[in-house]
């Protein structure tokens, strides 16, 4: 809509969110279809959109499910490795120490990044155990949590 003064603004609508092109119902259908179909291309053809749009919607759903459903195991292993990203030269990997499955890969090894990641998974039951050679790091790690 255009006001008398010439300023443009979006109309308030109960079925379309602000700055969106698709309705709330359509977004819900895409969320369900993107999980149930074999390929994103198939879902895009049925819904009349691009595979990229379906993938973006799928990533939103997947990220919500991953964050809500994952808890840290009782024993975790944290290791750094040299990579090359915009965030830094070294990245951090958090893995299940018993099964050796990766849980998360952090873009850098800064305290704030580690703290936010561990708080995201919940650390109320977390007790750090570190070998004798790493006692100094363990003390700072416990303070971090």
């Amino acid at each position: 809509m255009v006001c008398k003064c010439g300023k443009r603004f979006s109309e308030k609508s109960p079925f379309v969110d602000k700055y969106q092109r698709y309705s709330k119902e359509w977004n819900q259908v895409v969320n369900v279809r993107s999980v149930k179909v074999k390929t994103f291309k198939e879902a895009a053809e049925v819904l009349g959109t691009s595979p990229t749009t379906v993938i973006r919607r799928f990533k939103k759903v997947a990220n919500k499910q991953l964050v809500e459903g994952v808890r840290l195991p009782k024993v975790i292993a944290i290791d750094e490795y040299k990579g090359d990203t915009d965030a830094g030269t070294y990245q951090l990997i958090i893995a299940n120490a018993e099964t050796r499955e990766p849980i998360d890969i952090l873009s850098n090894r800064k305290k704030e990044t580690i703290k936010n990641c561990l708080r995201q998974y919940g650390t109320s039951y977390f007790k750090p155990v570190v070998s004798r050679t790493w006692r100094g790091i363990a003390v700072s790690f416990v303070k971090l949590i």
Side-chain angles (χ1 to χ4, degrees):
M1 289 184 69
V2 180
C3 187
K4 291 178 184 176
C5 63
K7 183 179 176 184
R8 295 175 186 224
F9 61 94
S10 60
E11 218 175 302
K12 291 184 180 179
S13 174
F15 54 88
V16 178
D17 286 330
K18 193 173 183 179
Y19 305 115
Q20 297 299 310
R21 294 179 182 207
Y22 298 107
S23 69
K24 293 176 184 179
E25 289 82 9
W26 187 88
N27 283 322
Q28 289 174 345
V29 170
V30 172
N31 291 344
V32 172
R33 284 271 172 116
S34 66
V35 173
K36 292 188 175 186
V37 295
K38 292 179 183 177
T39 64
F40 295 126
K41 185 177 179 183
E42 180 184 334
E45 288 173 355
V46 169
L47 296 166
T49 188
S50 70
T52 309
T53 301
V54 176
I55 291 170
R56 276 197 315 268
R57 300 298 198 281
F58 174 78
K59 284 182 178 180
K60 283 184 182 178
V61 172
N63 285 338
K64 285 181 186 176
Q65 293 299 318
L66 287 174
V67 170
E68 291 173 1
V70 177
R71 269 189 76 174
L72 287 176
K74 289 185 178 180
V75 183
I76 63 169
I78 298 177
D79 195 13
E80 63 182 6
Y81 64 94
K82 187 173 182 181
D84 195 18
T85 66
D86 294 336
T89 306
Y90 290 95
Q91 284 77 48
L92 225 82
I93 185 166
I94 299 175
N96 185 332
E98 294 169 346
T99 63
R100 298 183 180 186
E101 292 179 23
I103 297 169
D104 203 350
I105 297 175
L106 306 180
S107 59
N108 59 46
R109 57 183 181 175
K110 295 179 181 173
K111 286 183 183 180
E112 246 348 272
T113 306
I114 300 168
K115 186 190 301 185
N116 291 338
C117 178
L118 293 177
R119 284 188 178 157
Q120 172 185 351
Y121 292 114
T123 57
S124 59
Y125 61 95
F126 189 73
K127 293 182 182 177
V129 178
V130 180
S131 68
R132 195 176 303 147
T133 56
W134 298 99
R135 291 248 186 247
I137 294 172
V139 170
S140 62
F141 190 71
V142 171
K143 289 178 184 175
L144 183 68
I145 297 172

